[in-house]
Amino acid sequence: MLVTLTAIVALAVGVLIILLVTRRSVSDWQIHISETTSEWKKNNAEDREPPFVEPRTSSLQEVLKEESRQGSAYLRADELPAFDQRHESTKK
């Protein structure tokens, strides 16, 4: 069973290598990997501090009271985002 598993894994790795090499040559992969690595290093070197976001505390009851509305839970077409833009573009 161990031999079969090893053979299957080796076959899968071989297929992946063949697929990768047929997509790009080995030298192209080396260039691509070195460019990607240098880009990651450059992004890490910048190491920008993310902006501080002040967390809010709220209870479920407060959120339901502030954000709830009466009616059906199904969305009407006019409630969809950018419905007006799509509707106007079909009129032209």
Side-chain angles (χ1 to χ4, degrees), residues 20-39:
L20 289 174
V21 171
T22 56
R23 183 172 172 218
R24 293 183 183 170
S25 67
V26 175
S27 61
D28 288 344
W29 275 112
Q30 289 174 341
I31 293 169
H32 175 72
I33 290 172
S34 65
E35 288 175 353
T36 305
T37 305
S38 65
E39 186 177 316

Side-chain angles (χ1 to χ4, degrees), residues 22-81:
T22 56
R23 183 172 172 218
R24 293 183 183 170
S25 67
V26 175
S27 61
D28 288 344
W29 275 112
Q30 289 174 341
I31 293 169
H32 175 72
I33 290 172
S34 65
E35 288 175 353
T36 305
T37 305
S38 65
E39 186 177 316
W40 287 347
K41 287 180 181 177
K42 185 180 80 171
N43 287 343
N44 286 340
E46 291 175 1
D47 202 36
R48 286 180 250 142
E49 183 86 18
F52 179 73
V53 177
E54 185 69 36
R56 294 187 301 176
T57 58
S58 183
S59 68
L60 179 61
Q61 288 77 21
E62 290 174 6
V63 172
L64 289 175
K65 185 173 65 174
E66 293 172 3
E67 303 294 330
S68 66
R69 58 184 172 160
Q70 293 296 103
S72 173
Y74 294 103
L75 291 175
R76 295 188 313 265
D78 60 344
E79 294 175 324
L80 294 173

